């Protein structure tokens, strides 16, 4: 299954399904919970048409402070109300000293941070009664690392029992920005835990820096890395993210079709799953 | 045993720099990449404010506006999990810190309140109205109002004007009703006289027009046939605009 991130900019087109037909949609619960009026009606219309996965933005599981239990209650009720199949979050933090920063910040790759994050993921999984799929974020600087990124991820996954959301573009961006080999990095990950894949575009802004913008088509080297990646894992849902510079729907549909064709080619001997 | 501070302290230093720009050295962190985070996050917050407060932003000198957003982001701990609610925190921060005087914009809090109210009413959770019928007596039957509304009072007519000189000349008591149309979700604004604002408030409490008119003399208002006629005409018009939904059965 190949889905598309649901955005207000192209809500009508997705609901009409004339120019674009993803297999499922994904959105951040934060952007849709506790609202009414026009957008609640639109949400209900799109949910009549597509299965939904949710990708959280502000649980901030790497934060030094406690999990926000009030917010977590809202998330649980939202996931249940809309029968969300997969709920994913990020291996990062976006809140510190009880102040939200509304961005995904890089965790220090250190044992105390890994233990802290694993415990919080476990706490949330226990409360939600479902595994979380945790996304490896793109980041632009390491922060006082004492272990490798792959060791950090393995530690968190092993201790928390969470699943992984593999954003192939993030891995490509990180490999470029931090000068490592993307495939060698992925080979160190617990790929049997991958439950979900994200794909997106990026922009190179300087000779040594790529930004994970979600504002461009998927780059060819990322397609190549995607093809390599999915040969290593069982079939999982794949999502196209496009948040800025929204193109014509036909262009997005072409990207969905290309992703689907790669999945079909590589996973043709597996049963497709949702 | 590491000689470095623990991860919590590293995260605190990292985020403090992003919010305030206070110089910090963290092992392994490239200064240009730290600057990237500070720049990107500040601009996300600024963009959010400019989308929420387009009139305010357009009528304040750019450097002053930039200083306001920087002050807010550096000194206020944003608590909302939902980015769309962040502008409410900006407005609250402005009121708490007396920005009307600090920035010498006496109508600033009115303007922010007005622009925030549109977002709030547009997004507010659905509220089911009480049961109603389409026929009744305008004077004697309690009315059923659309519950998705806000009634605001201002010192300056920010719903009609954005230019400083004109606003300052019109200081007084101004009232605006915002309500969400049930079918299409559009937000409608209606400027109200003090009398009609009072009527609206009382109707929302379930008081009939007749009882409101009987009480009016205690407020120093002389009730005339024309006042009664105009009040009912207003309510008929608001029924057309789907603020008055009907009559209690």
């Amino acid at each position: 299954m190949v889905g598309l991130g649901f955005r207000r900019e192209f809500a009508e087109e997705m609901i009409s399904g004339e120019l674009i037909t993803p297999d499922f949609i994904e959105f951040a619960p934060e952007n849709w919970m506790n609202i009414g009026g026009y957008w609640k009606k639109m949400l209900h219309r799109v949910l009549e048409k597509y299965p939904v996965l949710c990708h959280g933005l502000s649980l901030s599981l790497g934060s030094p402070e406690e999990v926000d239990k009030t917010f977590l209650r809202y998330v649980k009720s939202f996931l249940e109300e809309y029968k969300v199949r997969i709920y994913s979050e990020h291996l990062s933090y976006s809140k510190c000293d009880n102040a939200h920063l509304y961005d995904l910040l890089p965790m220090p790759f250190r044992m105390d941070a890994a233990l802290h994050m694993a415990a919080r993921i476990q706490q949330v999984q226990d409360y939600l009664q479902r595994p979380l799929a945790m996304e490896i974020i793109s980041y632009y600087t390491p922060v006082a690392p004492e272990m490798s990124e792959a060791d950090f991820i393995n530690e968190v996954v092993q201790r928390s029992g969470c699943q992984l959301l593999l954003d192939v573009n993030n891995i490509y961006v990180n490999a470029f920005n931090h000068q490592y080999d993307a495939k060698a990095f992925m080979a160190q990950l617990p790929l049997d835990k991958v439950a979900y894949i994200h794909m997106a575009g990026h922009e190179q802004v300087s000779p040594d820096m790529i930004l994970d913008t979600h504002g461009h088509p998927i780059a060819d080297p990322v397609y190549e890395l995607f093809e390599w990646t999915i040969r290593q894992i069982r079939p999982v849902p794949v999502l196209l993210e496009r948040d800025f510079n929204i193109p014509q729907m036909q262009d997005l549909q072409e990207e969905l079709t290309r992703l689907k064709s790669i999945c079909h080619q590589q996973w043709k001997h597996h049963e497709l799953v949702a | 045993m590491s000689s470095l501070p623990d991860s919590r302290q590293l995260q605190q230093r990292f985020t403090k720099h992003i919010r305030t720009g206070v110089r910090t050295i963290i092992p392994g962190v490239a200064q240009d990449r730290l600057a990237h985070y500070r720049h990107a996050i500040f601009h996300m917050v600024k963009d959010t404010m400019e989308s929420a407060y387009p009139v305010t932003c357009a009528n304040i000198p750019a450097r002053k506006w930039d200083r306001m957003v920087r002050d807010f982001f550096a000194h206020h701990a944003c608590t909302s999990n939902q980015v769309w609610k962040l502008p409410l925190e900006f407005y609250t921060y402005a009121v708490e810190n007396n920005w009307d005087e600090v920035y010498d914009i006496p109508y600033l809090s009115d303007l922010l309140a007005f622009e925030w109210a549109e977002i709030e009413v547009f997004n507010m959770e659905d509220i089911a109205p009480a049961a109603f019928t389409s026929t009744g007596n305008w004077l004697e039957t309690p009315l059923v109002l659309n519950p998705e509304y806000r009634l605001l009072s201002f010192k300056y007519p920010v719903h009609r004007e954005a230019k400083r000189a004109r606003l300052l000349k019109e200081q007084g008591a101004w009232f605006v009703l915002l309500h969400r149309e049930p079918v299409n979700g559009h937000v409608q604004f209606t400027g109200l006289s003090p009398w009609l604002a009072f009527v609206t408030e009382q109707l929302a409490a379930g008081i009939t027009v007749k009882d409101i008119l009987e009480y009016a003399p205690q407020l120093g208002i002389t009730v005339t046939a024309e006042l009664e006629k105009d009040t009912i005409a207003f309510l008929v018009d608001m029924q057309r605009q789907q603020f008055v939904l009907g009559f209690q059965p």
Side-chain angles (χ1 to χ4, degrees):
Chain A
M1 285 178 52
V2 177
L4 180 63
F6 180 57
R7 293 197 62 85
R8 295 175 188 206
E9 292 91 328
F10 46 81
E12 283 287 2
E13 287 90 339
M14 287 184 77
I15 290 167
S16 85
E18 286 172 18
L19 298 173
I20 191 146
T21 52
D23 297 325
F24 66 94
I25 60 163
E26 182 212 85
F27 54 76
E30 289 86 347
N31 294 338
W32 297 91
M33 58 176 49
N34 311 120
I35 61 161
Y38 176 80
W39 284 112
K40 182 160 190 180
K41 290 189 178 81
M42 292 295 275
L43 180 65
H44 285 177
R45 284 176 63 199
V46 80
L47 291 177
E48 282 169 12
K49 198 170 175 77
Y50 301 103
V52 62
L53 310 188
C54 274
H55 188 48
L57 294 172
S58 51
L59 260 187
S60 194
L61 289 167
S63 278
E65 50 263 30
E66 291 295 306
V67 171
D68 181 341
K69 295 194 180 71
T70 306
F71 176 64
L72 192 56
R73 268 200 300 279
Y74 278 126
V75 170
K76 182 172 185 167
S77 125
F78 187 89
L79 299 178
E80 288 169 356
E81 179 180 357
Y82 292 111
K83 299 181 174 52
V84 174
R85 299 181 185 191
I86 293 179
Y87 177 50
S88 55
E89 254 287 354
H90 298 87
L91 285 166
S92 71
Y93 68 108
S94 55
K95 185 168 85 165
C96 190
D97 293 331
N98 287 312
H100 280 275
L101 286 95
Y102 306 101
D103 201 356
L104 305 169
L105 303 174
M107 292 296 294
F109 298 141
R110 300 158 64 95
M111 188 54 85
D112 65 334
L115 295 178
H116 177 69
M117 177 165 254
R120 289 165 53 103
I121 293 172
Q122 266 182 320
Q123 181 191 353
V124 171
Q125 290 181 146
D126 287 348
Y127 182 76
L128 296 179
Q129 292 291 296
R130 60 164 78 208
L132 290 178
M134 298 298 295
E135 177 177 341
I136 300 167
I137 63 161
S138 55
Y139 65 101
Y140 303 103
T141 180
V143 180
E146 286 187 335
M147 61 205 299
S148 73
E149 183 183 0
D151 284 348
F152 178 84
I153 294 164
N154 274 290
E155 202 67 47
V156 172
V157 171
Q158 191 186 345
R159 287 178 183 274
S160 69
C162 72
Q163 300 173 328
L164 273 183
L165 191 175
L166 205 55
D167 185 316
V168 177
N169 183 60
N170 286 355
I171 307 292
Y172 180 87
V173 168
N174 290 342
F176 180 90
N177 288 340
H178 307 298
Q179 298 169 11
Y180 58 68
D181 181 85
K183 290 174 188 169
F185 170 78
M186 276 210 263
Q188 298 175 64
L189 299 178
L191 293 177
D192 58 320
K193 300 290 187 188
V194 174
Y196 190 17
I197 285 182
H198 275 182
M199 288 287 282
H202 60 241
E203 183 183 13
Q204 184 165 354
V205 292
S206 71
D208 64 346
M209 193 169 179
I210 292 180
L211 291 182
D212 172 29
T213 58
H214 296 189
H216 299 78
I218 299 166
D220 282 340
V222 179
Y223 275 116
E224 192 271 325
L225 186 58
F226 172 69
E227 197 165 339
W228 179 89
T229 303
I230 67 172
R231 280 203 293 273
Q232 323 297 319
I233 63 172
R234 66 193 166 90
V236 296
V238 175
L239 182 93
L240 172 64
E241 297 179 291
R242 186 64 181 261
D243 299 332
F244 302 102
N245 296 330
I246 306 298
Q248 296 292 314
M249 289 301 105
Q250 291 92 331
D251 297 339
L252 283 182
Q253 182 60 49
E254 278 174 26
E255 287 189 277
L256 291 177
T257 305
R258 183 166 172 188
L259 289 170
K260 208 175 240 189
S261 155
I262 297 170
C263 292
H264 183 71
Q265 190 64 31
Q266 299 302 328
W267 284 335
K268 60 188 168 194
H269 300 303
H270 294 269
E271 187 185 344
L272 286 176
V273 296
Chain B
M1 184 87 179
S2 171
S3 59
L4 290 170
D6 66 13
S7 293
R8 168 190 282 259
Q9 290 173 298
L10 292 166
Q11 289 173 294
Q12 287 172 327
R13 278 199 221 163
F14 193 87
T15 53
K16 186 177 180 189
H17 173 80
I18 290 173
R19 288 178 59 201
T20 64
V22 169
R23 187 170 162 74
T24 188
I25 302 290
I26 301 172
V29 174
Q31 288 301 311
D32 63 326
R33 300 293 174 89
L34 188 58
H36 161 77
Y37 278 105
R38 176 162 158 73
H39 177 83
I41 292 172
F42 174 72
H43 281 277
M44 188 283 294
V45 172
K46 196 174 175 204
D47 287 349
T48 301
M49 294 313 154
E50 290 179 4
S51 300
Y53 299 118
V55 179
T56 310
C57 168
N59 286 279
I60 290 178
R63 287 171 69 177
K64 195 179 261 190
W65 173 254
D66 191 83
R67 210 160 68 237
M68 287 174 174
V69 180
R70 283 189 194 281
D71 175 358
F72 165 72
F73 188 55
H75 300 115
H76 171 74
C78 300
T79 58
S80 176
N81 293 294
Q82 298 176 273
V83 179
W84 74 266
K85 289 183 180 170
L86 189 53
L88 172 60
E89 297 191 35
F90 184 78
Y91 160 57
T92 308
Y93 185 81
V95 172
E96 285 171 355
N97 289 278
N98 199 20
W99 276 8
D100 289 6
E101 280 185 23
V102 171
Y103 288 99
D104 186 30
I105 308 172
Y107 51 86
L108 178 66
S109 52
D110 278 357
L111 190 49
L112 292 173
F114 177 58
E115 295 203 87
W116 167 252
E118 181 182 6
I119 299 171
E120 187 193 17
V121 173
F122 182 73
N123 284 320
M124 70 197 297
E125 291 194 68
D126 296 338
I127 306 171
F132 60 89
T133 59
S134 55
T135 53
N137 184 305
W138 284 104
L139 280 174
E140 295 185 1
T141 313
L143 301 181
V144 174
L145 304 184
N146 177 342
E148 295 167 349
Y149 79 96
R150 290 285 180 271
L151 179 59
L152 305 177
S153 66
F154 298 129
K155 278 190 288 185
Y156 298 92
V158 290
H159 56 298
R160 300 195 321 197
E161 182 58 64
K163 298 289 174 214
R164 180 186 176 91
R166 289 186 201 158
L167 279 167
L168 294 181
K169 275 186 203 160
E170 296 197 74
Q171 186 179 355
W174 300 91
F175 299 90
V176 184
L177 174 70
L178 292 86
H179 74 278
R180 186 165 75 191
E181 292 181 355
V183 176
N184 60 27
H186 293 167
V187 176
Q188 295 294 340
F189 307 84
T190 311
L192 301 180
S193 64
W195 165 248
L196 290 178
F198 175 71
V199 168
T200 302
E201 216 169 47
Q202 300 307 306
L203 290 173
I207 315 289
T208 63
V209 174
K210 184 179 172 197
D211 287 342
I212 296 168
L213 289 166
E214 280 175 7
Y215 182 76
Q218 293 183 49
L219 300 173
I221 296 168
T222 308
V223 177
T224 60
E226 193 174 357
L227 180 71
E228 182 180 315
K229 189 177 132 211
D230 289 350
T231 302
I232 290 174
F234 161 73
L235 294 172
V236 170
D237 186 47
M238 293 312 287
Q239 186 179 32
R240 189 183 55 75
Q241 293 190 47
Q242 299 176 288
F243 175 65
V244 174
L245 298 177
F247 303 85
Q248 279 187 23

